[in-house]
Amino acid sequence: MALETRQRRPLPSDLPATASSPTTSYTKMDKPKRSDGENDGVDKGLGWLLPLICLGMLRHMSATSNIIHDCDEVFNYWEPLHYLLYKSGFQTWEYSSQFALRSYLYILLHKLVGWPASWWFGEEKVRVFYAVRIFLAVLSVISDAALVVALSRKYGKRLASYTLAMLCLASGCFFASTSFLPSSFSMYAMSLSSALFLFNKPAMALSVAATGVILGWPFSILAFLPLTIYSLVKRFKSVFLTGVFTSVILMVLSLLVDYRYYKRWTSSVINLLVYNVLGGGESHLYGTEGPLFYLRNGFNNFNFCFVFALLFLAILPIAKKKYAPELLVVVSPVYLWIAFMSLQPHKEERFLYPIYPLICVAASAVIESFPDLFRDKYNPNDTSVLVMIAKFLRPLALGLILCSSHARTFSLINGYSAPIEIYKHLDYYDDAGTGSVLCVGSEWHRFPSSFFIPDYVGQVRWLDDGFTGLLPIPFNSSLGGTSAAPSYFNNKNKASEEQYLKDAEQCTFLIELQLQRPYPTRGSDLSTWEIVAALPYLDRELSPPLYRSFFIPYQWQQKNVFGQYRLLRRIPK
């Protein structure tokens, strides 16, 4: 009888309608909420609005206040753009059709903004300059915001918020985000492709990566390698076909544009790779640095953020469940790229730009994992004293990084902005007459571009102050402009007789840096020159490294030594 009264197991059809059936997919919404609120909002993460607003404000500040950190940005990108818009500008040997190492496709991307801006602003070329910078800022905002949102949806708000704060305020990101350089374009592609990868869209991620390599900087292909390999392993067919299709389209487009401007069938992408890799290159002619250059440079631009980023692999065994393998794939280019670039004799700060956003991600992951270093692995809810201290250290570490970054940014902008500001004073001296000649001596490498030269200035000429390398020379329309192969250009960095103005008496204006040195400068002769504008410029050699690198309140101006960046005008005889 006992067996007859035994209850049968309820069938699935007998369950209440509110219960999940075997055929219903499980989602985050089905996850029961805990009483401690840990899962509150886990399905939401950071939305798009906050990253777009925060990054938008900071990138706008960068676009309007950023200095020019490298003369390569001016002469290889701003000057060709100025020539396409105004039919005047300086040409470097890389743009000679004999060598054709630079892509006009990259320049044309910026002409899409520069041309309507030049039509709208007319003679105010400086506004065109800043319009292009705003365009660069927009690209940076979109790509970095996508990365933040992807991190939030994949790993939570805390990691995304830390990354957002560093992307906004880290000096390296602040300056690189609005620099007109292929390495900056590759940086945008790195952020966006990493975001798409975390959004589980590997085919689109590889397409963006290919754009960053071909349209931006070909050498950045090494930085995109981990993401490419993992994406191919994950979904080979769609990823492979998308990558090949994007690469072929961009290579054909680049080939056609190069033919349009160089007037011969050539590929600037292949030429650049051949020159630097297969041809052995001679980049060492432009300076060499030791193997620790990028470690020092990384600390200067990211301070302790850079140190934490390098420690990512050290915390990975503890945080493996959270971050492996996807975040490891995203962050791994930091190690790969620094190691590879450190082996090259010629080093430039801009060469690290492609991995700048990843440094922020890696450092944020390390800081977010502080409590995990002390938590009992068998007790995820461990609230021991060490765990609580580690949680308290997270905002302290982030605050230290952000304050140091702001100090670095403030010091650079206020210490070295004179070159880009002094040229704006030329607008007030158009009474000098059409055809005036502006002369620049040893300060040629801080020339901010022809966008800052008013129309009444007929020429910008270099004066021989002892530099023995090859300087840029104006595009020569009579020789074919962009298709010209002038004989005075060479790839050996040997000075040409054409690059200097022989008679300094022809100079109407003179740009000069006056420092506390025992030897006189051209502008020291006040019987020949009058000072019409002067701005302070930080003297790097006489200022203490700590105070010149970081702004320390009440000490920065007192401890540092300043020279004068001058605009001088010849006194009529």
Side-chain angles (χ1 to χ4, degrees):
M1 294 296 295
L3 292 175
E4 294 177 2
T5 59
R6 183 176 178 179
Q7 296 291 327
R8 67 179 178 87
R9 185 184 301 274
L11 297 174
S13 58
D14 298 328
L15 294 175
T18 56
S20 298
S21 67
T23 58
T24 304
S25 60
Y26 183 82
T27 67
K28 289 182 179 180
M29 298 299 293
D30 300 318
K31 189 174 182 177
K33 291 186 177 181
R34 294 173 45 159
S35 58
D36 58 4
E38 181 177 327
N39 294 323
D40 289 349
V42 71
D43 57 301
K44 297 179 181 179
L46 286 180
W48 285 88
L49 184 60
L50 180 64
L52 288 174
I53 291 177
C54 294
L55 287 165
M57 290 190 298
L58 270 297
R59 294 299 180 257
H60 180 267
M61 292 174 61
S62 175
T64 55
S65 63
N66 195 5
I67 62 176
I68 295 178
H69 301 260
D70 197 315
C71 63
D72 190 69
E73 177 182 353
V74 171
F75 295 117
N76 276 326
Y77 305 103
W78 284 114
E79 287 301 290
L81 177 61
H82 188 274
Y83 183 79
L84 296 187
L85 295 175
Y86 300 101
K87 299 304 178 185
S88 67
F90 283 98
Q91 181 183 22
T92 62
W93 70 270
E94 292 99 324
Y95 279 94
S96 169
S97 64
Q98 176 185 354
F99 304 106
L101 298 185
R102 303 296 181 186
S103 172
Y104 275 101
L105 180 59
Y106 176 67
I107 305 297
L108 284 182
L109 173 66
H110 300 79
K111 187 182 177 183
L112 294 176
V113 175
W115 183 80
S118 65
W119 174 81
W120 182 262
F121 295 118
E123 296 181 356
E124 298 180 271
K125 296 189 295 183
V126 174
R127 293 196 175 191
V128 179
F129 175 89
Y130 285 107
V132 174
R133 270 197 170 178
I134 292 294
F135 169 66
L136 297 174
V138 170
L139 293 180
S140 177
V141 168
I142 294 172
S143 58
D144 285 347
L147 179 59
V148 170
V149 173
L151 288 170
S152 177
R153 294 182 182 177
K154 185 80 174 179
Y155 301 105
K157 287 184 179 180
R158 182 178 287 113
L159 177 61
S161 299
Y162 289 175
T163 303
L164 175 61
M166 293 186 191
L167 286 172
C168 285
L169 292 178
S171 297
C173 295
F174 185 89
F175 293 126
S177 60
T178 54
S179 293
F180 187 5
L181 288 166
S183 51
S184 286
F185 187 83
S186 294
M187 180 183 72
Y188 310 149
M190 180 64 73
S191 288
L192 187 55
S193 63
S194 298
L196 291 170
F197 175 77
L198 294 175
F199 281 136
N200 198 28
K201 299 180 183 298
M204 293 178 64
L206 188 58
S207 180
V208 171
T211 304
V213 171
I214 298 173
L215 184 54
W217 197 25
F219 297 107
S220 64
I221 187 173
L222 183 64
F224 289 103
L225 203 57
L227 184 148
T228 301
I229 294 175
Y230 190 85
S231 297
L232 286 171
V233 170
K234 198 172 183 180
R235 298 180 189 173
F236 180 81
K237 184 177 180 180
S238 62
V239 171
F240 178 78
L241 292 177
T242 302
V244 170
F245 178 78
T246 304
S247 300
V248 170
I249 292 297
L250 287 174
M251 283 298 294
V252 170
L253 188 59
S254 176
L255 191 68
L256 293 174
V257 171
D258 286 339
Y259 177 78
R260 163 69 176 82
Y261 287 98
Y262 288 121
K263 292 296 188 291
R264 69 183 184 93
W265 288 110
T266 186
S267 171
S268 56
V269 176
I270 295 176
N271 292 342
L272 185 64
L273 292 173
V274 169
Y275 172 77
N276 285 280
V277 181
L278 301 181
E282 293 185 286
S283 60
H284 63 275
L285 296 173
Y286 304 94
T288 59
E289 298 287 348
L292 299 180
F293 174 81
Y294 289 121
L295 296 181
R296 295 195 304 268
N297 193 268
F299 184 80
N300 281 339
N301 285 319
F302 288 92
N303 57 79
F304 296 101
C305 173
F306 186 70
V307 177
F308 287 135
L310 295 181
L311 292 175
F312 179 82
L313 287 183
I315 63 100
L316 193 61
I318 298 173
K320 181 169 58 177
K321 291 183 179 180
K322 288 195 298 184
Y323 297 141
E326 284 85 359
L327 196 65
L328 175 60
V329 173
V330 169
V331 168
S332 58
V334 171
Y335 300 94
L336 188 65
W337 191 245
I338 292 176
F340 173 77
M341 298 307 293
S342 295
L343 295 175
Q344 311 308 310
H346 179 61
K347 299 177 177 65
E348 299 280 358
E349 178 182 325
R350 67 180 186 274
F351 292 171
L352 283 193
Y353 284 6
I355 62 167
Y356 273 7
L358 306 186
I359 292 174
C360 297
V361 174
S364 299
V366 171
I367 295 175
E368 198 272 340
S369 299
F370 277 180
D372 298 334
L373 301 177
F374 305 99
R375 184 177 283 127
D376 185 349
K377 64 179 180 179
Y378 298 109
N379 181 14
N381 298 317
D382 184 10
T383 57
S384 64
V385 175
L386 288 178
V387 172
M388 299 305 293
I389 292 175
K391 289 183 177 181
F392 178 73
L393 288 177
R394 287 191 298 202
L396 288 182
L398 182 64
L400 177 62
I401 290 171
L402 299 184
C403 289
S404 300
S405 296
H406 179 70
R408 170 72 173 174
T409 302
F410 186 94
S411 180
L412 290 183
I413 289 177
N414 287 274
Y416 302 105
S417 62
I420 205 171
E421 295 297 328
I422 201 71
Y423 281 83
K424 296 177 183 178
H425 288 264
L426 286 167
D427 287 332
Y428 304 109
Y429 300 99
D430 54 355
D431 60 328
T434 304
S436 297
V437 178
L438 172 65
C439 293
V440 186
S442 59
E443 287 301 298
W444 65 268
H445 61 291
R446 296 192 179 101
F447 176 66
S449 84
S450 297
F451 284 94
F452 291 81
I453 306 302
D455 289 340
Y456 77 87
V457 176
Q459 297 182 77
V460 176
R461 297 301 304 269
W462 313 131
L463 297 177
D464 189 355
D465 275 349
F467 182 70
T468 59
L470 180 63
L471 290 178
I473 299 174
F475 278 94
N476 193 326
S477 298
S478 63
L479 295 179
T482 60
S483 63
S487 59
Y488 43 74
F489 281 139
N490 63 81
N491 60 356
K492 304 298 181 182
N493 197 25
K494 293 182 180 179
S496 168
E497 294 182 358
E498 306 285 336
Q499 68 189 32
Y500 291 123
L501 177 65
K502 300 296 189 295
D503 183 11
E505 294 293 325
Q506 299 179 29
C507 300
T508 311
F509 294 97
L510 175 67
I511 294 287
E512 197 169 69
L513 175 59
Q514 181 72 48
L515 299 174
Q516 299 178 16
R517 300 293 186 270
Y519 47 84
T521 59
R522 283 190 176 88
S524 301
D525 183 5
L526 297 182
S527 63
T528 303
W529 301 98
E530 64 171 330
I531 303 172
V532 295
L535 295 172
Y537 186 85
L538 200 152
D539 190 334
R540 186 179 183 276
E541 294 182 10
L542 299 183
S543 300
L546 176 62
Y547 294 99
R548 72 168 184 256
S549 298
F550 300 96
F551 173 77
I552 300 176
Y554 307 109
Q555 298 292 315
W556 187 78
Q557 286 184 311
Q558 296 178 11
K559 297 292 185 180
N560 288 320
V561 177
F562 295 86
Q564 281 193 335
Y565 217 87
R566 296 176 173 177
L567 170 62
L568 304 107
R569 181 174 179 175
R570 181 177 294 279
I571 300 174
K573 294 182 179 180

